Amino acid sequence: MSNTKWIGAAAGWFFGGPIGGIIGYYVAKNFFSSKVDNKKAFEISLLILSSVVIKADGKVLKSELDYVKKFFTNTFGAAKSNEYFKMFNSLNKQDFTAKLRQVCLQLNSHINHSSRLEIIHFLFGVSAADNEIHPKEVETIKRIATYMNINPYDFESIKSMFLAKGWVSSEQHYTVLGITKQATDTEVKKAYRKMAVKYHPDKLQGVSEDIKKLAEEKFLKVKEAYEQIMKGRS
């Protein structure tokens, strides 16, 4: 998230719509010491989505809050993150459920597909921070994915990566690749190549190391799924 590849070419895209309204409120409250630009607007949007997911199961857990704070500290540095933490604490006292669709649609118009996939991965990371992915959180992330034009196969693929802890069924490996057990060897290889390209870290050149790490994790999960499927067929 260190450059505009995460956002969009149009300057000031955030001034209109719900994101602009939320930012305007916090600017008026003097939460920010510097001017809000495209980059900062996107980062604030991540906080808004994180807040909605965290509260989806009816409770705000410290482990989930800590995950977001650690991610922002590692990505943006402690000094810049302090402003975000103050805002995040305030966001968690509000309900943005009614504005969720509008926020997602506004983001969808200004960031690329690879970046939207990283958002879904990030939100699943938030959900899994307490070692339990609550059904209500999954439902909320799915709504966000739908609003941001993430197809069901990509959503299920990312979800499977987080559910695949400990013992993993062969069905989960197929889900990661977006196919079924009925797929032929040729179809498996084709699906692997497609997913490997989609999740390759090079798609996110110039972004922060933490963002690259998210992409690398997915890339390795795809590779592992493919290897396990082919091993089971040999």
Side-chain angles (χ1 to χ4, degrees):
M1 276 182 288
S2 61
N3 70 6
T4 55
K5 288 186 179 183
W6 266 86
I7 314 163
W13 61 268
F14 54 88
F15 281 129
I19 296 174
I22 294 168
I23 290 174
Y25 172 81
Y26 284 99
V27 167
K29 294 289 184 179
N30 297 314
F31 268 75
F32 303 109
S33 59
S34 59
K35 181 181 178 181
V36 176
D37 56 13
N38 280 15
K39 222 171 22 169
K40 184 171 285 188
F42 177 76
E43 294 154 8
I44 291 170
S45 300
L46 276 186
L47 291 178
I48 295 169
L49 296 179
S50 300
S51 178
V52 173
V53 170
I54 286 173
K55 293 180 289 187
D57 61 355
K59 51 190 176 182
V60 178
L61 299 178
K62 184 177 183 299
S63 56
E64 294 174 337
L65 296 175
D66 287 345
Y67 179 92
V68 176
K69 290 180 179 180
K70 181 180 178 181
F71 180 88
F72 269 72
T73 299
N74 290 342
T75 304
F76 309 117
K80 185 177 179 182
S81 294
N82 285 335
E83 290 182 333
Y84 287 122
F85 296 165
K86 292 176 184 177
M87 180 180 180
F88 193 46
N89 289 333
S90 179
L91 284 171
N92 284 321
K93 297 175 184 176
Q94 302 176 53
D95 184 3
F96 292 100
T97 306
K99 296 181 178 180
L100 182 60
R101 181 175 181 273
Q102 287 75 20
V103 167
C104 292
L105 291 179
Q106 190 173 359
L107 278 172
N108 190 47
S109 298
H110 298 282
I111 60 174
N112 61 35
H113 185 258
S114 294
S115 299
R116 297 199 298 274
L117 291 175
E118 295 309 316
I119 289 176
I120 300 304
H121 191 190
F122 170 70
L123 294 176
F124 267 113
V126 173
S127 175
D130 60 344
N131 295 315
E132 177 190 4
I133 300 179
H134 195 280
K136 288 289 186 181
E137 293 172 339
V138 174
E139 181 183 324
T140 298
I141 298 173
K142 187 173 184 178
R143 284 176 59 204
I144 292 170
T146 300
Y147 294 150
M148 293 200 297
N149 286 332
I150 301 298
N151 68 55
Y153 297 105
D154 286 339
F155 173 80
E156 291 297 331
S157 174
I158 296 174
K159 184 178 77 171
S160 293
M161 294 176 189
F162 283 89
L163 296 179
K165 293 183 177 180
W167 179 80
V168 183
S169 69
S170 60
E171 284 82 2
Q172 285 175 306
H173 289 136
Y174 284 97
T175 303
V176 168
L177 294 187
I179 54 179
T180 67
K181 294 185 72 172
Q182 285 69 47
T184 65
D185 287 355
T186 299
E187 289 171 333
V188 172
K189 291 176 183 177
K190 183 178 179 181
Y192 167 63
R193 286 195 295 267
K194 180 180 177 181
M195 297 296 276
V197 169
K198 182 180 295 185
Y199 292 135
H200 200 285
D202 287 349
K203 285 279 188 178
L204 294 167
Q205 284 184 337
V207 300
S208 70
E209 289 304 313
D210 270 48
I211 298 302
K212 286 183 179 179
K213 185 177 179 181
L214 289 182
E216 288 167 0
E217 287 176 2
K218 289 200 297 301
F219 183 75
L220 291 175
K221 286 287 187 181
V222 167
K223 185 173 183 289
E224 179 186 2
Y226 171 70
E227 291 175 347
Q228 290 299 318
I229 289 173
M230 297 311 291
K231 181 180 178 181
R233 293 186 172 202
S234 61

